[in-house]
Amino acid sequence: MSEARSARVANAALALVSVRFRPHGRDPRFGLDCVGLAAWALRAGGYAGAVPDDYALRHGDATRARAVIDRLPLIDGIDGPGELLLCASAPGQLHLAISIRGGLVHADALLRRVVARPGPAPWPVFGRWRLEEE
């Protein structure tokens, strides 16, 4: 039996902890931002689609972001590991993270690296999505 998609997503996110932060980064060898982290982890779960690159680092529009995510082959999350979280990390600033058992993984611009954070998201969460299980 193969590992569930959600577990592959969560494990891939955890494997990226300590990768350096880089704005618009898409490759862990050079650095990742939150979109790059999310894309890398979702690809480990089988996502093969496009990754948005036409976004501002500040002044995010949650409605627009949700519309983009809703077009991806994802389903609503169930508050479990391996889910994509859309958060508001600061006024006007959107942020993506991947849920893991007991916390989340995200690309932290202040710490300049990908980190695992225990507990619930410290920011408002606008949505949760996951890959449908095979």
Side-chain angles (χ1 to χ4, degrees):
M1 177 183 257
S2 69
E3 183 180 31
R5 282 181 147 182
S6 57
R8 292 195 313 259
V9 171
N11 289 336
L14 280 167
L16 295 169
V17 168
S18 296
V19 167
R20 79 181 187 102
F21 177 86
R22 179 177 179 192
H24 292 279
R26 294 294 181 274
D27 187 324
R29 294 175 298 170
F30 306 110
L32 298 169
D33 67 2
C34 68
V35 175
L37 166 70
W40 199 266
L42 289 170
R43 287 197 189 292
Y47 173 72
V51 177
D53 61 3
D54 61 338
Y55 58 91
L57 297 177
R58 299 227 186 263
H59 306 296
D61 178 346
T63 301
R64 180 173 179 260
R66 283 187 65 96
V68 169
I69 293 169
D70 284 341
R71 289 192 302 265
L72 301 178
L74 302 172
I75 59 175
D76 287 338
I78 55 173
D79 197 13
E83 294 179 348
L84 174 68
L85 307 178
L86 174 62
C87 307
S89 60
Q93 186 167 348
L94 300 177
H95 190 53
L96 297 176
I98 299 293
S99 63
I100 57 172
R101 189 168 312 285
L104 59 87
V105 174
H106 74 107
D108 193 309
L110 295 176
L111 294 176
R112 308 298 298 161
R113 63 188 171 89
V114 174
V115 299
R117 181 181 180 99
W123 322 283
V125 176
F126 292 134
R128 308 177 73 91
W129 299 267
R130 64 187 172 93
L131 293 166
E132 191 166 16
E133 295 299 338
E134 299 167 311

